[in-house]
Amino acid sequence: MSTSQPAASRPPEDRTTPDRLLHARTGTDVSPEDLILASGKDVTPHTLEWARRKLEAEGPAALEKLLP
């Protein structure tokens, strides 16, 4: 006996995630590590420096620019 849901009761695969669920900002400060991880990069000395410069230039909005 299968435990998977029948095809009719599964949500469609092409549903769009609501915007309110995509943005994780909670009003706290954005760290360079947050920015690096949101960009899909690994935390390295090089990417830390990149993130620090980007945050200095753009502020917390830099994170929102990376998120959908």
Side-chain angles (χ1 to χ4, degrees):
M1 187 161 117
S2 174
T3 59
S4 65
Q5 296 177 341
S9 65
R10 278 189 234 142
E13 295 294 326
D14 62 334
R15 282 192 349 192
T16 323
T17 304
D19 195 46
R20 64 182 169 73
L21 297 177
L22 292 173
H23 299 281
R25 195 135 177 251
T26 60
T28 59
D29 289 334
V30 176
S31 72
E33 290 84 358
D34 293 335
L35 195 60
I36 293 167
L37 295 175
S39 71
K41 300 176 183 179
D42 291 327
V43 178
T44 66
H46 177 74
T47 57
L48 278 170
E49 184 56 34
W50 165 81
R52 285 185 188 112
R53 285 192 315 267
K54 190 162 182 73
L55 284 172
E56 187 175 307
E58 300 175 22
L63 183 63
E64 291 296 322
K65 291 178 182 179
L66 293 173
L67 298 175

